[in-house]
Amino acid sequence: SSRKRLKVMRLGLFLISLVTLLFLCSLLIGHTQAPLSTSLKALISGQGPLGTVMQDIRLPRAILAALVGGSLGLSGAAMQGYLRNPLAEPGLIGISGSASLGAVLSLQTGLAATFWLALPFSALGMSVFAVFLIMLLAGKQGRSLTLILAGIAISALAGAMTSLVLNLSPNPYATAEIVFWMMGSLADRSFNHVWIALPFCIVGAMMILSLGPALNALTLGEDTAQTMGINLVKTRYVLVIGVAAVIGATTAVAGAVGFVGLVVPHILRRWVKSQPSRLMWASMLGGAALVLAADILVRLVLPDRDLKLGVVMAILGAPLFLHLIYKTRAELS
């Protein structure tokens, strides 16, 4: 038991160190190059052109990368723990797709152009509406299978509606903007976006992390968890609302970024002996590290082109996920 705790502590220290290192790298990498000491002085003082770049462009971008990655990793681990399915992720219950639909509608109708808060608030509003529909479809006593089916239905509907909006769009500029937004990006984000997402991410993360003991009990099955005093209905409500808060907020400010909630818990599961409460903390840090690394890669690979974060994540995530599937199959055979 003490060896397990030591192993988990080492993993935690490694992940915290990795996130800190990548955060600093994110602050230092960009079009404007300067020595480390000069950049840090400019970040603190905010004086001169470099100070403006550090405080108004790179710092909010780095914070959002950590926030988006941490939220996606945490949500993925929580969903996998609740549904007891290693293929579960936030998109499975339709929240990501619904948030995207809200943002797409605000771009298409021109609301996003008239009022900059319209896009994030539309995404958040649609994710809240999706939660209401999922709960309605799943029913009061709905179990994990019912929740998955309701989520798939909402996800399919949101995807179809998004395609319909794109199909009927008379404005090619609005269509191009929608497509680029749906690819996911952290470029040109400011502290306004951080302040929009941060409260929802903090509250949602606290709700999800509070479910650690319940998710640990659920590894033994729903009936066993109930006999241990776990309220499954309350657990489901807290989980779905918490996931909706963090995913709605991150999708609102960064667009669609995939694979983080799916791949990160897979990579870290063996280090925490598949215990959901520990996996959630590890996945939150691991997700932050992965998105920070991907966002740095975006700036290094094609610095003169607007390479999208969501595209890089898909290129990195898909082969990694296929490797994990192959490895799992090899272990089972």
Side-chain angles (χ1 to χ4, degrees):
S1 179
S2 59
R3 280 185 68 186
K4 284 182 185 178
R5 278 199 294 270
L6 187 64
K7 194 175 179 181
V8 171
M9 280 177 67
R10 282 176 180 167
L11 176 66
L13 285 171
F14 169 74
L15 289 171
I16 290 166
S17 304
L18 183 63
V19 170
T20 306
L21 178 65
L22 289 167
F23 191 89
L24 284 170
C25 289
S26 181
L27 289 175
L28 298 172
I29 293 169
H31 288 290
T32 309
Q33 298 294 332
L36 174 62
S37 57
T38 309
S39 297
L40 291 176
K41 282 177 186 174
L43 175 65
I44 294 163
S45 67
Q47 293 176 356
L50 183 60
T52 304
V53 167
M54 294 296 291
Q55 284 195 353
D56 297 342
I57 298 171
R58 291 189 190 171
L59 184 59
R61 183 168 182 164
I63 292 169
L64 280 174
L67 203 61
V68 169
S71 298
L72 290 169
L74 172 63
S75 302
M79 291 296 300
Q80 289 176 19
Y82 177 74
L83 299 172
R84 300 182 305 287
N85 184 340
L87 296 177
E89 56 114 18
L92 187 70
I93 57 169
I95 292 166
S96 304
S98 301
S100 292
L101 174 61
V104 164
L105 285 170
S106 74
L107 286 166
Q108 176 56 37
T109 55
L111 275 172
T114 55
F115 179 48
W116 73 272
L117 280 171
L119 191 148
F121 282 165
S122 298
L124 280 165
M126 196 58 77
S127 65
V128 170
F129 181 62
V131 169
F132 173 75
L133 280 180
I134 288 162
M135 292 303 188
L136 201 66
L137 288 168
K140 191 178 178 183
Q141 297 297 327
R143 296 210 164 190
S144 56
L145 179 62
T146 324
L147 187 70
I148 291 171
L149 293 172
I152 290 169
I154 297 298
S155 188
L157 181 63
M161 292 299 291
T162 302
S163 300
L164 182 66
V165 171
L166 283 166
N167 188 33
L168 299 177
S169 175
N171 186 344
Y173 296 106
T175 304
E177 193 177 356
I178 289 166
V179 170
F180 279 127
W181 182 86
M182 287 176 70
M183 288 180 187
S185 177
L186 292 170
D188 304 319
R189 300 301 190 267
S190 67
F191 268 108
N192 289 330
H193 295 91
V194 174
W195 300 132
I196 290 167
L198 192 63
F200 292 96
C201 288
I202 289 172
V203 172
M206 286 172 67
M207 290 175 75
I208 295 167
L209 289 167
S210 72
L211 297 175
L215 297 183
N216 288 343
L218 274 167
T219 56
L220 304 170
E222 290 188 359
D223 294 331
T224 309
Q226 276 186 314
T227 60
M228 292 170 70
I230 301 299
N231 186 332
L232 295 181
V233 175
K234 183 186 173 185
T235 301
R236 187 176 83 248
Y237 273 99
V238 172
L239 176 79
V240 175
I241 293 166
V243 169
V246 297
I247 298 303
T250 54
T251 306
V253 296
V257 179
F259 284 102
V260 181
L262 198 59
V263 171
V264 172
H266 265 285
I267 295 169
L268 297 172
R269 184 170 280 109
R270 59 186 290 244
W271 301 98
V272 295
K273 300 296 180 187
S274 301
Q275 193 172 0
S277 58
R278 289 175 177 172
L279 183 61
M280 287 194 295
W281 282 102
S283 297
M284 185 165 65
L285 292 168
L290 183 61
V291 174
L292 278 165
D295 192 46
I296 291 166
L297 202 61
V298 163
R299 285 173 269 175
L300 290 175
V301 175
L302 290 171
D304 299 324
R305 300 291 297 274
D306 188 17
L307 185 63
K308 299 296 182 184
L309 177 65
V311 175
V312 172
M313 280 308 313
I315 293 168
L316 291 173
L320 191 59
F321 186 54
L322 289 171
H323 170 69
L324 288 165
I325 291 170
Y326 175 77
K327 196 175 170 185
T328 306
R329 193 189 71 179
E331 286 172 0
L332 291 172
S333 60

